[in-house]
Amino acid sequence: MRRTLFFDQLFTGWEWLRAARVEIDDRGDILAVDGGVTSEGCEKIPGCALPGVPNLHSHAHQRAMAGLAERSGGTADSFWTWREVMYRHLASMNPEQLEAISAQLYVEMLEAGYTAVGEFQYLHHDPQGRPYSQVAEMTLRTLASARRVGLGLTCLPVLYGHGGFGGAAAGNGQKRFLNDADGFFRLLEEVRRATVEDPEAAVGIAPHSLRAVAPELLLDVLKGFGTVGPIHIHVAEQRQEVEDCLRWSGLRPVTWLLEHVPVDERWCLIHATHMTSEETQAVAWSGAVVGLCPVTEANLGDGFFDAVEFLGAGGRIGIGSDSHISISPVEELRWLEYGQRLLGGARNILGGGANRSTGRRLLGAALAGGAQACGRSIGAIAPGLRGDLVVLDTDHPLLAEREEDEILDSWIFSGNAPLVRDVIVGGRTVVENGRHPQREEIAAAFRRTLKSLRTGSPQS
Ligand code: NGQ
Ligand code: ZN
């Protein structure tokens, strides 16, 4: 359905327009954006419009365990013990359960202002590690949920071959993730077939990490994947991972990557927490996006990413909700800035200069980097891009007497009150008055799913 929308204020992603009109064609693409016009003949939408925020890193299944890993198993609770807990949670998860969990998660994402997600999906096989008859079954379940609720989706089926550096054998908890190159390409082909001609979907690949993908497998799959589509990889998240990589190869993980594969704009380096200054400069130069997940990185005790140096070098960033202990672009961006403040003993560190809005710089960076990493025409309100918009409730007391960049700063730095009123994806309104129309039924199915996961469900 073709729509012509009118907003009193609109942030395109790089500039503010007053009295703005957005024309969206019946495919959901933006045809024209104009400021200083009358609302005549338009659908007048109260509030302030922003580009929908891409969420570049998600492991949907982890939404089901939020809050269930917050007690120490002993003196050395860590990322690695958390990972064991996570593996136990997904040990019996079946396709129906994953579909119900991702539907709940994706509704929450939309209501929070995310309009697209990069789903880094590695739970491929059945609980015994046998491929489903449709090998991409699990990835296709997340696609079904995204379509059901109206969220844009970049499928990033994960390549996972080994349990650790040097091709170490996978552990029991990892057997559902494993593929060789042939198996992976079969899976990828099913995903591609399911998404052709879908303007809300794209396909990339995700070699899980240098721990899980040995060089030969990585190079084979990169070659077979071809020259189009995003490539995501977890890298240098934990100190131990850096040490193990050094022991294995003599190189730090980011250096290894830069020296062995052509890292460029197609790449998204997830976390990249522990980089030397040279690595930071080189990644910035490469044009790759660094996918930051500040809330998860805090939760897992990963360490600090040097955003000052990276952004200063012209580096590109985006945000992801990763382990889904928080579904909020606001909270990711706030934590990104607050981490730097706590570390640096100063304020407004990532704003980019005197009297510049910190919120605007962070949001602007996350929109552009998120769009690039998702490999879709999103991330701004501009002709040729998808009609993905978030409308903030300017009647909310927290946005009273705020204009332009003050609105962005207030959205990000005034707490967690839900300020998102409407969300439009591909020209279609999917959240109205802060609520997704299927919220209740999807939440009910999610509750039943959690119950079945706890009590032990029939495995399929
Ligand atoms: C994941 N998550 O794949 O879900 C990972 C943990 C790993 C994060 N790194 C497992 N945050 O890295 O081996
Ligand atoms: Zn991850």
Side-chain angles (χ1 to χ4, degrees), residues 57 59 61-62 79-80 82-83 86-87 120 122 160 174 177 208-209 211-212 234 237 241 270-271 296-297 300 302 322-323:
H57 192 62
H59 306 294
H61 64 267
Q62 291 174 14
F79 174 92
W80 307 100
W82 166 84
R83 195 172 78 154
M86 189 264 286
Y87 287 172
F120 196 114
Y122 54 84
Y160 206 111
Q174 297 164 329
F177 317 160
H208 181 277
S209 56
R211 288 177 273 121
H234 290 121
E237 179 179 11
E241 181 184 356
I270 304 297
H271 310 303
T296 294
E297 287 155 12
L300 297 179
D302 288 343
D322 192 352
S323 68

Side-chain angles (χ1 to χ4, degrees), residues 106 109-110 114-117 145-147 149-153 200 425 430:
Y106 295 166
M109 284 188 190
L110 287 169
Y114 289 121
T115 47
V117 68
S145 291
R147 284 179 171 157
V149 306
L151 180 72
L153 180 80
E200 305 300 356
V425 179
V430 293

Side-chain angles (χ1 to χ4, degrees), residues 299-377:
N299 185 276
L300 297 179
D302 288 343
F304 278 104
F305 174 80
D306 192 340
V308 175
E309 184 174 14
F310 188 67
L311 290 178
R316 306 176 189 187
I317 59 165
I319 52 161
S321 60
D322 192 352
S323 68
H324 308 310
I325 43 169
S326 166
I327 312 299
S328 162
V330 162
E331 222 190 338
E332 300 298 342
L333 294 174
R334 190 194 298 146
W335 267 96
L336 178 56
E337 167 70 17
Y338 281 176
Q340 309 291 322
R341 291 190 192 186
L342 288 163
L343 196 65
R347 301 190 69 253
N348 289 310
I349 293 183
L350 300 178
N355 204 27
R356 305 271 286 274
S357 153
T358 300
R360 175 171 175 164
R361 173 114 186 277
L362 291 174
L363 181 66
L367 291 169
Q372 178 178 325
C374 286
R376 299 184 53 233
S377 300

Side-chain angles (χ1 to χ4, degrees), residues 373-400:
C374 286
R376 299 184 53 233
S377 300
I378 55 174
I381 304 177
L385 301 189
R386 297 296 294 160
D388 291 2
L389 282 71
V390 166
V391 186
L392 297 186
D393 178 9
T394 42
D395 290 334
H396 194 286
L398 286 172
L399 294 184

